[in-house]
Each structure stands twice: as C-alpha cells, then as structure tokens.
C-alpha cells in the first residue's frame, strides 16, 4: 500500500480560451485511507483522478505514490486501478474472464490468475455468476464485477469516479455499504469522487472539498459538515442546504432578518448567518432561543422526519455553487428549510413559530466568505 500525494498539481487544457481544470491542487491521501473528493460539476474532480491514474499529464506539479514521483510514468507502471461511472465490461466474456482479463494482459501465471479471481469473486459475492455474461447481470452485479476487475490486480491505489451514479437509490445505499467493507478489508488507498452527499459523509475517512481546481477544505466528514471554513463549503455540504441570511454585526449584536443574537467575537460589519435545517426547532421546545416565524409553503413528510420549506423575514445570501439553479427571489423574505422530527401537523400557508439553536450557528464574513469564530447567544428579548 502507499500514500498518494498531489503537490501543486496544475492542469490546463489547451483551447481558445484554455481551461484551467486544476489550479495547484495539494492533497495527501494516507496509506489505506478512503478519501472522498467532492465539488461542483466541472471543478476538476475527474481531471485529478485521471492525473493520478496517468491518463492525463499535469501541466506542472508532482504526483507521488509512496516516495516515488509518478507524473512521468505511463499508467501501467503506476499500480493504480480506476473504476468509472460508465464502466464497460467486455460483453462477450464471462464474469470470470472479465475478472481475469487484466491479469492475463500483465502476464500473471494462470494458477495465480485463478487464485486471485476466485478470491475476489468470493469477497464480492460473485461465485454464482462467474459463468454469466454482462448482459445477464443486474446493475449492482455489473458494478461489482467492474470493481472486482480493478481490484483483482491488487493495485496500490484505487480510484473511483462516481461508481454508483448509474444505480437506483436503494441499490446505491447497499453498494455503498459493500464498498466500505471491501475497502476496509483490502485496505487499499482510495480516492473516491461522488456527487452524493450521503456517500461522501458515510464512506470517507476524510472529505476534500474542491472548487475551481483548488482545495477548499480537507477534513473528517464531521469537520466539513459542522466546521466549514467558508460559506462555499457550508453551502455545498448538506441537503437541504444550509440556510443563509444576510446580516450585520454592530457592537457585538448580530441582526439578520428578525433574528437578533449576541455574537461574541464577531467584528462589526456585514455577515452571513448560516444555520442548517436541523438547527430550527419547533418553538415549543425552544424556550430561550432566538425565535423566527416561517410562513410555510411546502411540507414534505418523509416518515422519520419532515422537511418544511417556507419564508422568514430577511434576505437570503446567495452562494453561486450551481449556476443552473435560479437565483433567490429579491425582497425582504427569505426562503429557508427546517428539518423536524417525525410527522408534524404543519400545513402549507400556516405561520410556524421556530426556535434557532444557538449552538449550531455559523457566521461568515460577507465580503470574503470566511467562517468567523463566534460565540452565539440568544439576545434577551427587550
Ligand atoms: N480533455 C479536455 N479538454 C478540455 N477541457 C477539459 C477536458 N477534460 C476536462 N476539461 C475541462 O476541465 C474542467 C474540469 O473537468 P472535470 O471533468 O475534471 O470536472 P468534474 O469535477 O469531474 O465535473 P463533473 O462533476 O461534472 O464530472 C471542466 O471545465 C472541463 O470542461
Ligand atoms: Mg467528473
């Protein structure tokens, strides 16, 4: 096994104008670690993986596997295996032969090929399918074969580019658990790209959030979710997204819409107040907390929880993450989401009193987007 280091990796694709896909990316994946790479579409995730695999050559910067610089080596000399979203199995070969294919290419002796194929097949639960062809497999089974084909080579580094995105939600959840078990069992250093928040939060030892070819934050799932370093990371992680209201700090008091708080440590000036949907509580269980009233428009009862969307006084702070989404409505009402426990008797059109958990607030500098260290406390109602 080995660590993987990206040192100031820059990748510019020629063209008019040229595209800067990676802008000096620094990243270190520990030996045996599962590192998740997330970021908006086009931010350079696939390019980063392809550079590690040797399918793209960085314009500048170094890539190390263990102690060895590999950026000049061809893919087959790197001991890296990659699974893509659109993995293609060889349609005319059986599962067994699909698994064995890469080993034969590498001139592994036949008994050793057989041993490794059977071992991988047992790990992945493919024993009963070894004689089938890809057309006779379900989506999840094909995905397992694709992973097996990559791992049977016993690579030092395993790269996965949205490997589950073609599967339906339930199967994705099941495969997620399998991948985690498999990765733990084999202990291969892995870099995993996903758009799926649940995958990122549950699979990763650590998560790297990148945007525009740069690393924004690298930390445990808890770090990036609970202690985002910037407005962008805060808005990117979590579904529904963190609620963000424009506010102002004056003399240690933060006002954002109808919310008023003591914000110890915050410098005077414009800020953005962030709170996740789960930081909003029904007012009856939120005595002593800052209150705000939501005019409910959509209620989604999900069984174990209810998502309530509506408007509160204030102005939404917009963070451009997905340029295809409509911008927030202008005016003095802000759309926010609340996540409440279980079923509720909340209905569209109602005024819903909510309390805001002060231990789960985030305050960002409105100009730079940097997270500010703030001790929030409910302001006594005057
Ligand atoms: N071969 C190429 N030639 C020119 N530009 C490219 C090439 N490959 C990628 N790009 C550009 O580089 C940028 C990063 O692309 P990349 O595929 O790494 O994004 P991504 O983060 O994987 O996005 P997605 O989430 O949509 O898969 C994009 O602007 C893309 O258009
Ligand atoms: Mg991609």
């Amino acid at each position: 096994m080995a660590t993987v280091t990206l040192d100031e990796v820059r990748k510019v694709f020629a063209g008019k104008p040229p595209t800067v896909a990676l802008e000096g990316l620094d990243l270190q994946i520990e030996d045996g670690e599962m590192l998740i790479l997330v970021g908006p579409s086009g931010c350079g995730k696939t390019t980063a993986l392809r550079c590690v695999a040797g399918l793209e050559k960085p314009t500048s910067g170094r890539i190390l596997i263990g102690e060895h610089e590999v950026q000049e080596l061809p893919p087959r000399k790197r001991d890296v295996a990659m699974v893509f979203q659109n993995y293609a199995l060889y349609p005319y070969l059986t599962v067994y032969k699909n698994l064995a294919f890469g080993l034969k290419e590498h001139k592994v002796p036949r008994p050793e090929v057989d041993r490794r194929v059977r071992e991988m097949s047992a790990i992945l639960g493919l024993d009963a399918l070894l004689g089938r062809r890809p057309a006779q497999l379900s989506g999840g089974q094909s995905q397992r074969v694709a992973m097996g084909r990559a791992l049977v080579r016993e690579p030092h580094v395993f790269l996965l580019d949205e490997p589950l995105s073609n599967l339906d939600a339930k199967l994705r959840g099941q495969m997620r658990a399998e991948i985690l078990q498999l990765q733990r069992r084999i202990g291969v250093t892995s870099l995993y790209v996903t758009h799926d928040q649940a995958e990122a939060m549950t699979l990763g030892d650590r998560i790297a959030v990148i945007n525009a070819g740069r690393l924004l934050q690298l930390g445990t799932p808890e770090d990036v979710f609970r202690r985002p370093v910037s407005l962008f990371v805060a808005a990117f992680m979590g579904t529904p997204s963190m609620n963000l209201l424009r506010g102002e700090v004056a003399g240690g008091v933060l006002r954002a819409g109808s919310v008023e708080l003591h914000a110890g440590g915050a410098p005077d000036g414009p800020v953005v107040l962030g709170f996740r949907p789960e930081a909003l509580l029904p007012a009856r269980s939120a005595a002593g907390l800052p209150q705000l009233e939501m005019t409910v428009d959509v209620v989604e009862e999900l069984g174990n929880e209810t998502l309530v969307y509506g408007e509160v006084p204030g102005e939404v702070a917009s963070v451009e993450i997905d340029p295809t989404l409509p911008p927030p409505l202008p005016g003095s009402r802000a759309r926010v989401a609340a996540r409440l426990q279980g079923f509720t008797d909340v209905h569209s059109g109602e005024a819903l009193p909510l309390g805001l958990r002060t231990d789960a607030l985030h305050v960002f500098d409105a100009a730079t987007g940097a997270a500010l260290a703030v001790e929030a406390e409910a302001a006594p109602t005057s």
Side-chain angles (χ1 to χ4, degrees), residues 288-311:
L289 296 182
Q291 307 284 308
L292 74 178
E293 191 173 81
M294 180 200 271
T295 308
V296 176
D297 57 32
V298 177
V299 181
E300 293 178 351
E301 303 273 6
L302 300 173
N304 53 345
E305 62 181 28
T306 301
L307 296 176
V308 184
Y309 299 87
E311 290 187 342

Side-chain angles (χ1 to χ4, degrees), residues 316-381:
V316 165
S318 61
V319 183
E320 196 167 291
I321 287 183
D322 184 347
T324 62
L325 289 179
L329 298 173
S332 60
R333 306 285 290 173
R335 210 154 182 280
V336 299
R339 172 177 272 131
L340 307 179
Q341 295 294 309
F343 287 95
T344 61
D345 53 1
V346 176
H347 302 283
S348 177
E350 259 174 43
L352 176 66
L354 294 165
L356 186 56
R357 279 180 45 190
T358 44
D359 59 346
L361 297 181
H362 302 263
V363 181
F364 304 94
D365 183 313
T368 64
L372 300 171
V374 169
E375 288 288 324
E377 221 180 283
T381 43

Side-chain angles (χ1 to χ4, degrees), residues 257-280:
S258 60
V259 177
E260 199 172 299
L261 301 157
H262 283 300
D268 284 3
V271 293
V272 173
L273 174 68
F275 47 98
R276 295 202 181 275
E278 46 276 22
L280 289 168

Side-chain angles (χ1 to χ4, degrees), residues 5 11 15 29 48-49 51 85 128 140 143 265 310 338 345:
T5 309
K11 175 68 188 176
I29 309 150
L49 252 55
C51 286
Q85 173 183 348
Q143 184 55 263
D345 53 1

